[in-house]
Amino acid sequence: MSAVTLPDLKAARRLSRKQGLFAPDLLQAALARAFVMLRPDLMWKNPVMFTVEVGTVLSVVYTVYKVFVPASTHATLGYLIALDVWLFLTVLFANFAEALAEARGKAQADALRKTRQETPAYRLARAHDDPRQALDAPISSFERSVSTALKEGDLVVVDAGLLIPADGEIVAGVASVDEAAITGESAPVVREAGGDRSGVTGGTRVLSDRIVVRVTAAAGKSFLDRMIALVEGAARQRTPNEIALSLVLSAFTLIFLIVTAALWPMAANAESYMKDYLGAPENIRSLGTDVPTLVALLVCLIPTTIGALLAAIGIAGMDRALRANLIAKSGKAVEVAGDVDTLLLDKTGTITMGNRRATQILPLGDLAATEVGLLAALSSAADETPEGKSIVDLYRKLPGGNPAAAAAPAGANFVPFTAQTRMSGVDLPDGRQVRKGAADAIVKHVRAQGGTLPARLQEQVDAVASQGATPLLIAEGNRVLGLVVLEDILKPGIKERFERLRKMGIRTVMVTGDNPLTAKSIAGQAGVDDYIAEATPEAKLAYIRKEQFGGRLVAMMGDGTNDAPALAQADLGVAMNSGTQAAKEAGNMVDLDSDPTKLIEVVEIGKQLLMTRGALTTFSIANDLAKYFAIVPALFAGTLPWLKALDFMHLASPTSAILSAVIFNAIIIPALIPIALKGVTYRPVGADALLRRNLLVWGLGGVIAPFVGIKLIDMGLVVLGLA
């Protein structure tokens, strides 16, 4: 597996973000690709444009026949050639739209691929029982290797100044890491063993200290490889909504194909009737009997605009997700984000400022605060979480605290924290058992040991919780001896963010392991719609399933192993790149920035994708309606004079009307490419307001634009003497 150098990758990312929609190199690559995509084996994947391509071939054949048999039609050769040219350009412009979207991704992929290089790696022998022993050993004592030779499960030592050679999880140590290559942010971050901030990415640089990393992604499966596959389109699959819309467009195309095919005998019969029974001149001809004209009619009636832009819209949506530092495992994840109804967010690090810190130790019995603090520190000595470390730090700062005593003696047996027990602790060599954890978990533990609870315990727990802090109880054996206060601070502007989500029609739910009083207090301050207190993996799963049973789409963001079941169950699971491998595997989207508030951007990207597709579909269908009034009267005005009543546009001639409509139909595709790639501007408004705006801007605009455009083209043809 290859890593990257930071300066090169950062430069590549800056270049890709500054590159405009119509950079010359992108245009050149897209134009070449547009011609390649004319191959029928590629075109058939887009039924609408494949129909246009087949029609163009028929029109060209008919034009060639006209050259050899001039009497086959009264239409001029110039008119037929012009139709052929613009029908061909319609197909080419459609291919160009998709090719340009792909070219932007390929340009990013090429820039990223050029930055790949082998990175030195210092591998541990698998015989190491405790990776922590590697933190003090000389670097020369480890096997020197390279990143491309690493396998999943290998342990590597990374010193300050070295690049992390592979994606993995820290199993020992703590270090400051420069992740600017991934996130674009220059501020380093702390990554440490244990907890939910243990994930590291290949190509990032350790700035201080030493860490031991377990490789979790084999060669070819790193974040960089996934990013390259994503932007190249290799990993893109059509989303369910895109497939459904394609089927609808195919049905429209088939219907209009049948209708158009039926017009040819109808027009021929109308001519015969007028000649035989109404005494019309023998040379009367309707354009409805010319194959190129009927092809032009079909192309103008079927939804060519959205058919041409549909793939580009989907690719651009994936591209916008990538530019927001999100790796989506499929296009479905981006699309589902736009339909989310319920959003589950962890309290810690999402709603509050990172990890909680211990601020007070309150004795509940005869012991002094220092004595209770020592028990709390002993129970946290092997706790690698930031909360556990803050308890040890608090004890050491207490008057009379003994830093040396905070380390558990040899022979102590540590009990790790689990989401099920919601407590941790230590069994000391002298037989004492010390536990710390959530209030209800410790109460249950003490009662199971046959102990009794201190007077007014619940009152003191409730008093701490009602202030928005989290109370942790300290117990020795069957006695509750004290309480540790963990405090949270709300992130600035978080309440306004939730109000923004509410305007989008999304219900927010805070997930926390806190007791109900603390959860209620924080939820009220943050402005969330609901909360899950004392949340276990089972509780999260049950809540998600309840919401889904009610027909709602649920999004979940998490970073820990205990979040994995909920991430897998949620319709949209966003995992932190800094989190555990289990969480990243369970989610269908990974946030490279590890920013818990990124869900708001995820939702907006998804909604923008859906809005863009909806807006351009509305526009396409609306402008087809307007084209009927240009083409239908022109086709049959000679044989059915009453159709002149529908000729609102008063175009110069039937051939000018048809040619103008075909030209407009072709040039509207490249005109809409910037909107398809950039997306329609999203504003957090309700569904009703959004529908009204969509119909007003894109529906009404789609009706008006063809009337104006076709008339202007007709006038231009007259001026040029081509009408």
Side-chain angles (χ1 to χ4, degrees):
M1 178 165 42
S2 300
V4 294
T5 56
L6 296 179
D8 289 345
L9 183 50
K10 284 191 285 187
R13 291 170 67 85
R14 284 196 300 269
L15 177 63
S16 69
R17 291 185 178 185
K18 289 181 179 180
Q19 212 165 25
L21 286 178
F22 299 108
D25 55 336
L26 294 185
L27 289 177
Q28 185 177 357
L31 186 59
R33 175 65 179 166
F35 280 96
V36 173
M37 291 170 65
L38 291 171
R39 288 166 36 191
D41 61 320
L42 298 178
M43 287 295 301
W44 74 268
K45 297 177 182 179
N46 186 338
V48 175
M49 299 315 301
F50 181 66
T51 301
V52 178
E53 183 177 48
V54 172
T56 303
V57 172
L58 289 176
S59 181
V60 170
V61 170
Y62 191 89
T63 302
V64 172
Y65 182 69
K66 160 73 175 178
V67 173
F68 293 101
V69 187
S72 60
T73 175
H74 287 277
T76 64
L77 185 61
Y79 162 75
L80 296 178
I81 292 174
L83 277 184
D84 294 342
V85 169
W86 284 100
L87 289 172
F88 172 75
L89 288 176
T90 301
V91 180
L92 192 66
F93 289 156
N95 289 349
F96 178 77
E98 182 175 354
L100 183 59
E102 290 179 348
R104 298 181 74 204
K106 289 183 184 295
Q108 285 191 33
D110 290 341
L112 292 172
R113 190 178 285 107
K114 289 176 183 177
T115 64
R116 300 173 67 147
Q117 64 176 30
E118 284 192 341
T119 302
Y122 296 90
R123 182 161 47 190
L124 278 71
R126 291 185 179 275
H128 275 81
D129 293 329
D130 187 356
R132 286 180 291 186
Q133 296 175 0
L135 295 177
D136 300 318
I139 194 73
S140 58
S141 64
F142 306 113
E143 176 191 350
R144 184 180 174 90
S145 183
V146 291
S147 55
T148 52
L150 296 177
K151 300 177 181 178
E152 189 172 342
D154 283 349
L155 296 176
V156 293
V157 175
V158 189
D159 262 346
L162 297 179
L163 291 176
I164 296 172
D167 293 1
E169 285 185 295
I170 300 175
V171 294
V174 57
S176 176
V177 180
D178 181 359
E179 296 186 343
I182 305 171
T183 65
E185 297 294 334
S186 57
V189 295
V190 175
R191 295 285 176 253
E192 55 191 331
D196 297 333
R197 293 293 182 270
S198 59
V200 290
T201 303
T204 57
R205 188 182 299 275
V206 173
L207 299 180
S208 67
D209 303 294
R210 174 186 286 187
I211 53 176
V212 181
V213 177
R214 177 182 290 113
V215 176
T216 58
K221 297 181 180 179
S222 69
F223 111 86
L224 185 60
D225 296 306
R226 286 177 289 166
M227 182 181 289
I228 290 172
L230 174 67
V231 298
E232 284 189 318
R236 173 181 135 78
Q237 296 177 341
R238 293 199 303 167
T239 62
N241 282 349
E242 186 177 339
I243 293 171
L245 182 55
S246 295
L247 291 174
V248 172
L249 298 180
S250 300
F252 272 123
T253 301
L254 180 60
I255 291 169
F256 283 118
L257 179 60
I258 294 171
V259 171
T260 305
L263 288 177
W264 189 86
M266 290 174 60
N269 288 337
E271 287 181 14
S272 299
Y273 176 79
M274 294 186 69
K275 294 174 184 177
D276 296 339
Y277 298 100
L278 300 181
E282 282 296 322
N283 62 355
I284 186 172
R285 289 296 301 268
S286 167
L287 287 173
T289 57
D290 289 333
V291 171
T293 301
L294 289 174
V295 170
L297 172 64
L298 175 64
V299 170
C300 289
L301 295 185
I302 63 177
T304 49
T305 305
I306 185 60
L309 299 173
L310 187 58
I313 294 169
I315 295 171
M318 297 279 284
D319 182 64
R320 284 194 294 274
L322 180 63
R323 288 169 185 267
N325 282 345
L326 291 160
I327 291 183
K329 295 181 181 178
S330 71
K332 181 181 178 181
V334 181
E335 186 175 271
V336 168
D339 284 329
V340 163
D341 302 298
T342 304
L343 191 57
L344 271 66
L345 307 99
D346 273 332
K347 182 202 74 175
T348 305
T350 304
I351 296 173
T352 59
M353 294 286 290
N355 302 296
R356 298 171 295 184
R357 294 195 61 81
T359 57
Q360 294 183 69
I361 295 177
L362 305 176
L364 297 176
D366 299 331
L367 298 182
T370 305
E371 295 174 290
V372 175
L374 176 58
L375 293 175
L378 288 173
S379 67
S380 303
D383 187 347
E384 295 288 345
T385 66
E387 293 174 2
K389 292 177 181 179
S390 74
I391 293 174
V392 176
D393 291 340
L394 178 61
Y395 164 71
R396 289 172 174 168
K397 294 175 183 177
L398 287 176
N402 181 0
N413 179 41
F414 292 100
V415 179
F417 174 88
T418 69
Q420 284 71 30
T421 63
R422 298 174 54 242
M423 63 181 182
S424 61
V426 62
D427 295 336
L428 299 172
D430 59 9
R432 289 183 297 163
Q433 294 182 337
V434 182
R435 298 290 185 270
K436 79 169 191 299
D440 63 315
I442 294 295
V443 166
K444 183 179 178 180
H445 169 74
V446 168
R447 284 176 174 166
Q449 301 291 320
T452 58
L453 303 176
R456 302 177 57 234
L457 172 63
Q458 192 60 46
E459 182 180 334
Q460 289 177 286
V461 168
D462 291 347
V464 172
S466 64
Q467 299 300 315
T470 301
L472 293 182
L473 295 183
I474 306 298
E476 181 186 340
N478 62 359
R479 297 184 303 155
V480 177
L481 300 179
L483 184 152
V484 176
V485 179
L486 299 177
E487 292 192 6
D488 290 294
I489 301 174
L490 287 178
K491 285 190 173 182
I494 195 69
K495 194 166 187 176
E496 290 73 16
R497 281 177 171 263
F498 289 143
E499 182 59 33
R500 185 174 182 179
L501 285 169
R502 197 170 290 111
K503 288 181 179 178
M504 297 180 195
I506 298 173
R507 185 166 164 272
T508 53
V509 180
M510 182 183 76
V511 180
T512 177
D514 293 338
N515 65 68
L517 273 177
T518 301
K520 182 179 180 181
S521 175
I522 296 292
Q525 295 172 41
V528 296
D529 299 305
D530 197 2
Y531 62 89
I532 307 172
E534 299 175 345
T536 61
E538 294 79 8
K540 297 175 190 177
L541 266 179
Y543 194 95
I544 291 173
R545 286 169 177 164
K546 184 186 74 173
E547 292 289 299
Q548 291 173 331
F549 184 76
R552 289 176 284 274
L553 292 180
V554 181
M556 165 77 185
M557 178 170 271
D559 53 11
T561 300
N562 65 326
D563 291 323
L567 286 169
Q569 178 67 36
D571 300 284
L572 174 65
V574 183
M576 302 287 96
N577 191 53
S578 62
T580 62
Q581 186 66 20
K584 287 188 276 189
E585 290 298 327
N588 48 21
M589 191 177 281
V590 178
D591 176 21
L592 299 176
D593 291 331
S594 299
D595 176 8
T597 62
K598 182 69 73 64
L599 263 175
I600 295 175
E601 289 185 52
V602 174
V603 170
E604 289 186 346
I605 290 170
K607 286 189 177 293
Q608 187 180 39
L609 170 63
L610 294 176
M611 281 181 57
T612 303
R613 187 184 295 151
L616 293 183
T617 300
T618 302
F619 182 89
S620 178
I621 294 173
N623 76 40
D624 287 342
L625 293 174
K627 284 180 283 190
Y628 301 163
F629 293 97
I631 291 188
V632 174
L635 271 176
F636 303 105
T639 52
L640 301 173
W642 56 270
L643 284 176
K644 288 183 178 292
L646 299 177
D647 187 12
F648 303 132
M649 302 177 70
H650 302 294
L651 301 178
S653 67
T655 54
S656 176
I658 294 164
L659 191 55
S660 298
V662 172
I663 294 173
F664 175 84
N665 193 69
I667 63 176
I668 199 64
I669 294 172
L672 292 175
I673 287 177
I675 296 173
L677 298 186
K678 287 185 176 181
V680 174
T681 302
Y682 173 72
R683 296 183 180 86
V685 296
D688 291 342
L690 193 60
L691 179 61
R692 286 194 299 270
R693 181 175 178 273
N694 199 38
L695 291 176
L696 180 64
V697 175
W698 299 100
L700 185 59
V703 172
I704 295 174
F707 278 102
V708 176
I710 291 172
K711 183 63 178 178
L712 290 175
I713 294 171
D714 175 71
M715 293 169 62
L717 293 176
V718 171
V719 171
L720 295 173
L722 302 175

